[in-house]
Amino acid sequence: MPDAPGLELMAIEIEADHPGAILGTYHEHGCACLIADPAQIRGVLAWLREAPSHRYTFLASVHAADYMPAEPRFGVHYELLNRDRVERIRVRAALPDPPEGLPEIESVVDMFPSAEFQEREAFDFFGIVFRGHPDLRRILMPEDYVGWPQRRDFPVGGEPVIFTNTEHQVPGWYR
């Protein structure tokens, strides 16, 4: 993991190639984190993957978080690994909640194939649209499910619990 000065130097190097791409840095739970402009997330991740002195070539995780009531409301987190140095870095893109429609960010599936199912999961639970994803549809919830169950404003307890012995009784579930 890059230490604090190393993380700042990395941010300066990225900024030299992608002005305005890094909005901040921090360390959290023992992990170095870069806060990236969502409009430049592909450039930042490509730089981290291709820069000879860094080579974070493996995308271990893509996950989302809802920080409501904070603004920007949503965060998309990318966990990158440098397997030779056994080093990890997190890149966070903060997305606002648009007044209409769903929050959007570019897909990185063509750069990191391991992102395909993880981006679908973030879409399924948070409603974050990954533009350019080859197959963006629900992955864990039923395809006719309405809503985004991991959002903080999702009604807790408003959904019927489905067990194998009650699946015929829950309206709209079994057809």
PDB file of all heavy atoms in Angstrom, residues 35-47:
ATOM      1  N   ILE A  35      -9.756   9.712  -4.689  1.00  0.00           N
ATOM      2  CA  ILE A  35     -11.102  10.128  -5.075  1.00  0.00           C
ATOM      3  C   ILE A  35     -10.988  10.702  -6.479  1.00  0.00           C
ATOM      4  O   ILE A  35     -10.243  11.663  -6.697  1.00  0.00           O
ATOM      5  CB  ILE A  35     -11.677  11.174  -4.108  1.00  0.00           C
ATOM      6  CG1 ILE A  35     -11.693  10.623  -2.693  1.00  0.00           C
ATOM      7  CG2 ILE A  35     -13.079  11.581  -4.547  1.00  0.00           C
ATOM      8  CD1 ILE A  35     -12.078  11.649  -1.641  1.00  0.00           C
ATOM      9  N   ALA A  36     -11.689  10.083  -7.416  1.00  0.00           N
ATOM     10  CA  ALA A  36     -11.551  10.454  -8.828  1.00  0.00           C
ATOM     11  C   ALA A  36     -12.814  11.113  -9.342  1.00  0.00           C
ATOM     12  O   ALA A  36     -13.924  10.823  -8.880  1.00  0.00           O
ATOM     13  CB  ALA A  36     -11.239   9.222  -9.665  1.00  0.00           C
ATOM     14  N   ASP A  37     -12.625  11.990 -10.320  1.00  0.00           N
ATOM     15  CA  ASP A  37     -13.758  12.593 -11.023  1.00  0.00           C
ATOM     16  C   ASP A  37     -14.455  11.483 -11.812  1.00  0.00           C
ATOM     17  O   ASP A  37     -13.809  10.793 -12.602  1.00  0.00           O
ATOM     18  CB  ASP A  37     -13.226  13.668 -11.960  1.00  0.00           C
ATOM     19  CG  ASP A  37     -14.315  14.318 -12.795  1.00  0.00           C
ATOM     20  OD1 ASP A  37     -15.511  14.037 -12.565  1.00  0.00           O
ATOM     21  OD2 ASP A  37     -13.955  15.127 -13.677  1.00  0.00           O
ATOM     22  N   PRO A  38     -15.780  11.276 -11.615  1.00  0.00           N
ATOM     23  CA  PRO A  38     -16.451  10.178 -12.339  1.00  0.00           C
ATOM     24  C   PRO A  38     -16.338  10.298 -13.855  1.00  0.00           C
ATOM     25  O   PRO A  38     -16.311   9.282 -14.550  1.00  0.00           O
ATOM     26  CB  PRO A  38     -17.908  10.287 -11.902  1.00  0.00           C
ATOM     27  CG  PRO A  38     -17.950  11.249 -10.790  1.00  0.00           C
ATOM     28  CD  PRO A  38     -16.670  11.989 -10.728  1.00  0.00           C
ATOM     29  N   ALA A  39     -16.247  11.506 -14.366  1.00  0.00           N
ATOM     30  CA  ALA A  39     -16.134  11.681 -15.817  1.00  0.00           C
ATOM     31  C   ALA A  39     -14.792  11.189 -16.350  1.00  0.00           C
ATOM     32  O   ALA A  39     -14.661  10.926 -17.545  1.00  0.00           O
ATOM     33  CB  ALA A  39     -16.340  13.152 -16.178  1.00  0.00           C
ATOM     34  N   GLN A  40     -13.795  11.046 -15.462  1.00  0.00           N
ATOM     35  CA  GLN A  40     -12.469  10.619 -15.904  1.00  0.00           C
ATOM     36  C   GLN A  40     -12.060   9.283 -15.281  1.00  0.00           C
ATOM     37  O   GLN A  40     -10.872   8.962 -15.230  1.00  0.00           O
ATOM     38  CB  GLN A  40     -11.442  11.692 -15.551  1.00  0.00           C
ATOM     39  CG  GLN A  40     -11.724  13.027 -16.220  1.00  0.00           C
ATOM     40  CD  GLN A  40     -10.552  13.956 -16.095  1.00  0.00           C
ATOM     41  OE1 GLN A  40      -9.438  13.593 -16.488  1.00  0.00           O
ATOM     42  NE2 GLN A  40     -10.781  15.127 -15.549  1.00  0.00           N
ATOM     43  N   ILE A  41     -13.021   8.510 -14.810  1.00  0.00           N
ATOM     44  CA  ILE A  41     -12.681   7.273 -14.101  1.00  0.00           C
ATOM     45  C   ILE A  41     -11.927   6.290 -15.005  1.00  0.00           C
ATOM     46  O   ILE A  41     -10.983   5.632 -14.562  1.00  0.00           O
ATOM     47  CB  ILE A  41     -13.947   6.617 -13.480  1.00  0.00           C
ATOM     48  CG1 ILE A  41     -13.540   5.517 -12.506  1.00  0.00           C
ATOM     49  CG2 ILE A  41     -14.873   6.077 -14.551  1.00  0.00           C
ATOM     50  CD1 ILE A  41     -12.823   6.004 -11.292  1.00  0.00           C
ATOM     51  N   ARG A  42     -12.297   6.205 -16.251  1.00  0.00           N
ATOM     52  CA  ARG A  42     -11.601   5.279 -17.151  1.00  0.00           C
ATOM     53  C   ARG A  42     -10.141   5.688 -17.349  1.00  0.00           C
ATOM     54  O   ARG A  42      -9.252   4.847 -17.365  1.00  0.00           O
ATOM     55  CB  ARG A  42     -12.323   5.192 -18.496  1.00  0.00           C
ATOM     56  CG  ARG A  42     -13.651   4.451 -18.413  1.00  0.00           C
ATOM     57  CD  ARG A  42     -14.348   4.402 -19.758  1.00  0.00           C
ATOM     58  NE  ARG A  42     -13.514   3.833 -20.817  1.00  0.00           N
ATOM     59  CZ  ARG A  42     -13.422   2.523 -21.077  1.00  0.00           C
ATOM     60  NH1 ARG A  42     -14.123   1.675 -20.380  1.00  0.00           N
ATOM     61  NH2 ARG A  42     -12.657   2.098 -22.047  1.00  0.00           N
ATOM     62  N   GLY A  43      -9.895   6.973 -17.475  1.00  0.00           N
ATOM     63  CA  GLY A  43      -8.524   7.454 -17.631  1.00  0.00           C
ATOM     64  C   GLY A  43      -7.680   7.170 -16.409  1.00  0.00           C
ATOM     65  O   GLY A  43      -6.515   6.756 -16.514  1.00  0.00           O
ATOM     66  N   VAL A  44      -8.250   7.370 -15.212  1.00  0.00           N
ATOM     67  CA  VAL A  44      -7.517   7.127 -13.973  1.00  0.00           C
ATOM     68  C   VAL A  44      -7.198   5.640 -13.831  1.00  0.00           C
ATOM     69  O   VAL A  44      -6.057   5.260 -13.534  1.00  0.00           O
ATOM     70  CB  VAL A  44      -8.325   7.633 -12.756  1.00  0.00           C
ATOM     71  CG1 VAL A  44      -7.698   7.174 -11.453  1.00  0.00           C
ATOM     72  CG2 VAL A  44      -8.450   9.149 -12.802  1.00  0.00           C
ATOM     73  N   LEU A  45      -8.186   4.781 -14.052  1.00  0.00           N
ATOM     74  CA  LEU A  45      -7.956   3.336 -13.915  1.00  0.00           C
ATOM     75  C   LEU A  45      -6.967   2.834 -14.973  1.00  0.00           C
ATOM     76  O   LEU A  45      -6.126   1.971 -14.688  1.00  0.00           O
ATOM     77  CB  LEU A  45      -9.275   2.571 -14.003  1.00  0.00           C
ATOM     78  CG  LEU A  45     -10.273   2.849 -12.866  1.00  0.00           C
ATOM     79  CD1 LEU A  45     -11.568   2.081 -13.099  1.00  0.00           C
ATOM     80  CD2 LEU A  45      -9.687   2.526 -11.509  1.00  0.00           C
ATOM     81  N   ALA A  46      -7.061   3.369 -16.190  1.00  0.00           N
ATOM     82  CA  ALA A  46      -6.113   2.976 -17.243  1.00  0.00           C
ATOM     83  C   ALA A  46      -4.697   3.414 -16.870  1.00  0.00           C
ATOM     84  O   ALA A  46      -3.727   2.670 -17.079  1.00  0.00           O
ATOM     85  CB  ALA A  46      -6.532   3.573 -18.579  1.00  0.00           C
ATOM     86  N   TRP A  47      -4.571   4.617 -16.305  1.00  0.00           N
ATOM     87  CA  TRP A  47      -3.250   5.103 -15.897  1.00  0.00           C
ATOM     88  C   TRP A  47      -2.679   4.184 -14.820  1.00  0.00           C
ATOM     89  O   TRP A  47      -1.504   3.808 -14.880  1.00  0.00           O
ATOM     90  CB  TRP A  47      -3.354   6.540 -15.382  1.00  0.00           C
ATOM     91  CG  TRP A  47      -2.017   7.166 -15.159  1.00  0.00           C
ATOM     92  CD1 TRP A  47      -1.294   7.900 -16.047  1.00  0.00           C
ATOM     93  CD2 TRP A  47      -1.229   7.074 -13.955  1.00  0.00           C
ATOM     94  NE1 TRP A  47      -0.114   8.273 -15.477  1.00  0.00           N
ATOM     95  CE2 TRP A  47      -0.042   7.786 -14.194  1.00  0.00           C
ATOM     96  CE3 TRP A  47      -1.415   6.475 -12.726  1.00  0.00           C
ATOM     97  CZ2 TRP A  47       0.950   7.907 -13.230  1.00  0.00           C
ATOM     98  CZ3 TRP A  47      -0.425   6.583 -11.764  1.00  0.00           C
ATOM     99  CH2 TRP A  47       0.748   7.302 -12.020  1.00  0.00           C
TER     100      TRP A  47
END
